[in-house]
Amino acid sequence: MNEKIVILDFGSQYTQLIARRVREQHVFCEIQPFNKPIQWSDNVKAVILSGSPWSVHEGNTGDFDVVEILRKVPVLGICFGAQLLTHMLGGTVERSNKREYGPASLVVKHPESRFLEDVKTGDQVWMSHGDTIVRVPEGVTVIAGTDDIPVAAFEGSTDRFGNPFFGLQFHPEVTHSSCGKQIFHDFLFEIVGLKGDWTPEVFVEEAIQKIKEEVGEDDVLIAISGGVDSSVAGVLLNRAIGEKMHGIFVDNGLLRKGEFEEVLGIYRDLGLNVRGVDAKERFWNALEGVTDPEEKRKMIGSVFIDVFQEEAGKLKDMKWLAQGTIYPDVIESLSVHGPSATIKSHHNVGGLPEHLHLKLVEPLRSLFKDEVREVGRTLGIPANILDRHPFPGPGLGIRIIGEVTPENVRILQDADAIYTRILRESGWYDKIWQAGTILLPIHSVGVMGDERTYERVIALRAVNSMDGMTAQWTPIPYEVLGSISSEIINTVRGVNRVVYDISTKPPATIEWE
């Protein structure tokens, strides 16, 4: 059983980043809401308290008891977590005269501390807090400050509770803290004494064994899409149960150009038992006259469920449905504040478990997206599946602004294929997190030869992001954009203008609908 760190979430926007930094050290961790009992097991070796938008004086932590945790394992408090440790153990936290936000230079006061073994005076750290620690509890040593605050880091001895505890007034998990990686390393290995043995190879071995134990000799159904998550889940299932995995890949008429045939070929090369279903006309007919983006999403989801259910009905004695659920989906459902406000319906199609009355198996539910890719590489899945850009579940249906018609799909597929090919040829595809084309619901005046044209407009979108929560538009060189624009206008019938979207998220979203 892998060693585990529990991260208690107090509502910080950075909680997932803490988990990612721990996982980078090959240490398994789980995020749990602070207001639910900790799921203790023998492999839980330490607890990290996250930041929070709250003040320790607001009383939002209810009956939370840090002393009970300290009697079991070492504790690291980050920002609000450090303030909470201070407040609950008898120190003093007060409102700052000014909000401390942004970079600060660390001053190490006790370089002999094993907790800050690889940190030195002058290292940059990132502050984001309104309260500050003015007096540490009894038996606690201040080991670092900054020019503006006396307590930037502290440590408590093992004598008082049986386990050491540490607090950081800054955020080591963000990239702005130059010493963050070293701090997590020293806590996990120097203080807690972990091995760091959670690797993709170990995950694959354990996941295959778990699937075998969970489903036994039963057959498993999976909706497989060509995307990273469902593809990795499918290969894991195939390794565990072979031909008893039954994949269904539906062509909804909203895929990228040639994608259906290409992906089916890859799945066959991987030895997967996958059936391709051509349902293009069915989706196009259902979308006729529909222009509202939410209605399009719901219609695409509804038709997919009908098609999938019909295909599933052709298979006898199905008891399990596999899904490519990943850890951010799980975290969202367990959020301290409840699920986030819905900006738009989920990119992936839901509703299948309720319709099919099957038990769920989710082999990737403990992994972040980058970890899914690493597992995929371990499984030998080719790069043209693993390294492809994210693609929304409703596909081109939400990149066609307005009505979805076969002609509009043809225009967008052709333009998107040119965009992707030139990005690859120029070396820019792998520098971009997500790129796509959007067909706008307007016509533009143009001149081709001696003739006036009145044709469609294509928008190009390219962003860089860690996880899709925020995104920055990508500065593709003008000469590359010029080549893309020229080829689209010259070869895609019905287009005479190309524009480039330079909006960040927020306030804009990555997709237009």
Side-chain angles (χ1 to χ4, degrees), residues 446-453 455 489-490 492 495-497:
V447 177
M448 290 187 178
D450 294 326
E451 295 184 359
R452 175 184 180 275
T453 62
E455 296 180 332
I489 291 171
N490 287 330
V492 179
V495 176
N496 70 356
R497 191 177 299 269

Side-chain angles (χ1 to χ4, degrees), residues 52-61 80 83 93-95 131:
S52 175
W54 305 323
S55 164
V56 294
H57 301 296
E58 291 176 354
N60 292 316
T61 53
F80 173 85
Q83 295 168 2
V93 178
E94 293 181 354
R95 196 70 181 166
D131 289 353

Side-chain angles (χ1 to χ4, degrees), residues 15 17 59 72 86 106 111 303 328 414 477 503:
T15 301
L17 279 180
K72 296 178 182 289
T86 301
L106 205 62
V303 175
D414 287 349
S503 310

